[in-house]
Amino acid sequence: MAEIFTNIPVIPYEGAKSKNPLAFKFYNPDQIVLGKPMSEHLPFAMAWWHNLCAGGTDMFGRDTADKSFGQEKGTMAHAKAKVDAGFEFMQKLGIRYFCFHDVDLVPEAEDIKETNRRLDEITDYILEKMEGTDIKCLWGTANMFSNPRFMNGAGSTNSADVYCFAAAQIKKALELTVKLGGRGYVFWGGREGYETLLNTDMKFEQENIARLMKMAVAYGRSIGFTGDFYIEPKPKEPMKHQYDFDAATAIGFLRQYGLDKDFKMNIEANHATLAGHTFRHDLRVSAINGMLGSIDANQGDYLLGWDTDEFPFDVYEATMCMYEVLKAGGLTGGFNFDAKNRRPSYTVEDMFEAYILGMDTFALGLLKAAALIEDGRLDENIKVRYSSYSSGIGAKIVSGEATLEELAAYAENMGAPELPGSGRQERLEAIVNQLLFG
Ligand code: XUL
Ligand code: CO
């Protein structure tokens, strides 16, 4: 197989002092952190769509980057060239996972039977490429938002025929995920929402989404899919309101419809911030509910109110993310770079340097989060802060044995309670800075 990225070597780890743009400064896969190699803490994945398909088109202009890989776009030869490019890319960076939508892999035909035949052919080829490498599929999904038939959603569509088409795509994408050994299967409800309540039966739409997910779980389990299903929450864009608004909303939905045993969350940084949360907030909400599954690692822009899908460079945010992940005991999924180069970064070097940036950012985040945990002062503060619940009336409250009358009698005999103690926020923020930059 002819090399595609001929000017790019295998990316080495050269350490923090290196000035080589094509080297890792912090991601050192074999370095042990909290008893485990970095590469195990950080199962990174390449997103097929941004890396191999998208060329920088935006609402105001066409592609700037050439992703033809020497073949005519829209052909199976091009689909195969993308596989070659993707595998060379992952191998040069030491990335061990990839994520895909059905239509990222092959050009969609008019007839789904032909699309499925193409998908069989390309996944045979992907399997061949996987052989002899340690590259695996992190998760698969069906694109149920780009084609005009999904203008009103897939599970939430008003058209039963479109609903069936979505079912057919999910069935195939699940089969492909199983064929490629995927760890997870994602539902991102890109158009599962509404533009106006004036034409929307919200209850019916949500029930129909749940019915589709239940059918997906039943079918997935019947063909041997043992991994997790994921909901990837996002509050808006493309729809004005999306039902999987944030982790809390999605978890409530899963519980309401009895789907919580089969599903976890795939939390994307820029989706959490669009919902008015921090990234770490949605990670924490998922984790405390036992549903932190996987992460779409990217970041937004403070000045822009949409999903900019930037490669993560904010070490503070990455540290907070890794703190949540370490505290949760790691991910069953991985870190998928659902991120794209900025439009003026259109060269092959830019593709590689973007991933180096993202991987180094999360490696730093891991190192700094481990330092925060080993330091122990944050944990100690939490322990002290809630210590009034470890004995006396507090312990009785926690045991669930207290009654409202008893607590009221206790309060009436107490006089005025003491103030609850300083939150020490500034001290804690200073500790984080000390460990990040000290
Ligand atoms: C869109 C998005 C998707 C999902 C998969 O905002 O994040 O790419 O990750 O459909
Ligand atoms: Co995503």
Side-chain angles (χ1 to χ4, degrees):
M1 173 56 50
E3 198 176 352
I4 293 174
F5 305 112
T6 45
N7 295 328
I8 311 286
V10 170
I11 305 300
Y13 165 71
E14 291 185 355
K17 297 270 184 303
S18 168
K19 292 196 173 158
N20 175 6
L22 291 174
F24 293 115
K25 321 295 180 300
F26 304 101
Y27 181 62
N28 182 10
D30 299 325
Q31 185 177 329
I32 303 294
V33 182
L34 297 179
K36 256 189 357 191
M38 250 190 200
S39 59
E40 272 180 45
H41 281 289
L42 299 168
F44 289 128
M46 177 191 77
W48 212 271
W49 53 104
H50 284 313
N51 203 43
L52 304 173
C53 308
T57 290
D58 70 10
M59 288 200 335
F60 300 93
R62 59 194 163 84
D63 278 1
T64 54
D66 176 9
K67 300 275 173 87
S68 65
F69 306 115
Q71 299 292 340
E72 194 189 330
K73 283 192 168 183
T75 64
M76 282 305 281
H78 179 238
K80 285 194 174 156
K82 288 197 293 184
V83 176
D84 293 335
F87 273 77
E88 185 183 322
F89 185 85
M90 289 186 276
Q91 281 174 307
K92 286 187 165 169
L93 281 156
I95 292 177
R96 293 175 297 128
Y97 294 93
F98 60 88
C99 298
F100 71 91
H101 302 83
D102 45 3
V103 302
D104 303 336
L105 300 182
V106 294
E108 199 179 358
E110 281 299 316
D111 180 350
I112 191 171
K113 292 197 282 303
E114 170 57 14
T115 307
N116 287 350
R117 193 203 60 72
R118 294 178 188 177
L119 285 167
D120 289 338
E121 184 183 331
I122 206 72
T123 48
D124 283 346
Y125 189 56
I126 293 175
L127 271 184
E128 252 175 61
K129 300 285 286 196
M130 283 166 73
E131 231 167 83
T133 73
D134 59 355
I135 293 174
K136 300 186 190 72
C137 172
L138 182 66
W139 52 255
T141 188
N143 178 324
M144 305 192 296
F145 44 90
S146 294
N147 192 293
R149 64 178 163 266
F150 295 124
M151 65 173 72
N152 297 332
S156 64
T157 182
N158 57 309
S159 156
D161 283 359
V162 172
Y163 191 95
C164 293
F165 210 97
Q169 275 187 251
I170 294 170
K171 176 174 177 288
K172 189 67 187 173
L174 268 166
E175 289 164 3
L176 301 176
T177 302
V178 171
K179 178 173 173 181
L180 299 173
R183 279 188 179 189
Y185 183 88
V186 163
F187 282 88
W188 170 58
R191 293 194 196 268
E192 312 288 32
Y194 61 82
E195 292 299 329
T196 171
L197 279 176
L198 293 174
N199 67 10
T200 301
D201 185 337
M202 188 194 276
K203 183 167 187 289
F204 177 75
E205 291 195 359
Q206 295 204 5
E207 286 166 355
N208 250 3
I209 294 170
R211 281 189 268 270
L212 191 58
M213 288 181 172
K214 280 199 166 156
M215 289 186 255
V217 169
Y219 183 69
R221 298 306 181 214
S222 80
I223 59 166
F225 176 64
T226 54
D228 289 319
F229 289 86
Y230 299 126
I231 282 186
E232 183 179 319
K234 185 175 182 185
K236 57 189 167 187
E237 194 203 12
M239 297 303 255
K240 170 170 135 170
H241 180 96
Q242 281 158 215
Y243 295 135
D244 301 327
F245 194 90
D246 58 5
T249 312
I251 291 168
F253 168 87
L254 290 172
R255 291 206 173 123
Q256 182 177 356
Y257 294 105
L259 288 157
D260 49 313
K261 297 289 171 286
D262 293 284
F263 274 80
K264 289 193 165 71
M265 295 295 114
N266 180 41
I267 298 298
E268 175 162 326
N270 202 174
H271 294 181
T273 49
L274 281 176
H277 302 307
T278 57
F279 180 22
R280 73 176 302 199
H281 169 95
D282 258 21
L283 295 172
R284 177 76 64 95
V285 169
S286 307
I288 64 172
N289 285 286
M291 287 203 202
L292 177 55
S294 206
I295 285 176
D296 271 11
N298 65 12
Q299 70 180 58
D301 185 298
Y302 291 124
L303 302 183
L304 305 176
W306 62 92
D307 193 14
T308 57
D309 282 343
E310 296 177 35
F311 276 89
F313 62 82
D314 187 329
V315 175
Y316 198 99
E317 291 296 328
T319 302
M320 294 307 150
C321 165
M322 291 313 299
Y323 188 80
E324 297 301 326
V325 169
L326 289 173
K327 285 283 186 187
L331 299 176
T332 47
F335 297 83
N336 167 46
F337 287 111
D338 193 352
K340 59 191 177 205
N341 283 97
R342 297 305 85 194
R343 198 163 180 267
S345 304
Y346 59 90
T347 71
V348 162
E349 286 79 4
D350 292 315
M351 283 172 74
F352 280 84
E353 288 177 36
Y355 271 75
I356 294 170
L357 170 68
M359 292 163 79
D360 268 345
T361 299
F362 272 80
L364 268 171
L366 169 65
L367 292 167
K368 298 299 175 186
L372 283 169
I373 288 170
E374 281 173 334
D375 175 82
R377 279 177 286 173
L378 298 186
D379 276 338
E380 182 54 30
N381 185 69
I382 300 251
K383 215 165 100 197
V384 171
R385 192 155 182 260
Y386 295 93
S387 59
S388 66
Y389 290 95
S390 351
S391 60
I393 194 72
K396 193 151 193 203
I397 293 170
V398 174
S399 74
E401 284 160 19
T403 65
L404 202 64
E405 299 92 301
E406 191 182 355
L407 301 191
Y410 177 91
E412 282 157 20
N413 290 329
M414 181 173 42
E418 281 177 26
L419 290 179
S422 167
R424 301 272 179 240
Q425 182 170 336
E426 295 78 5
R427 183 186 292 178
L428 301 172
E429 286 164 345
I431 291 172
V432 174
N433 277 356
Q434 181 191 17
L435 292 173
L436 246 69
F437 302 107

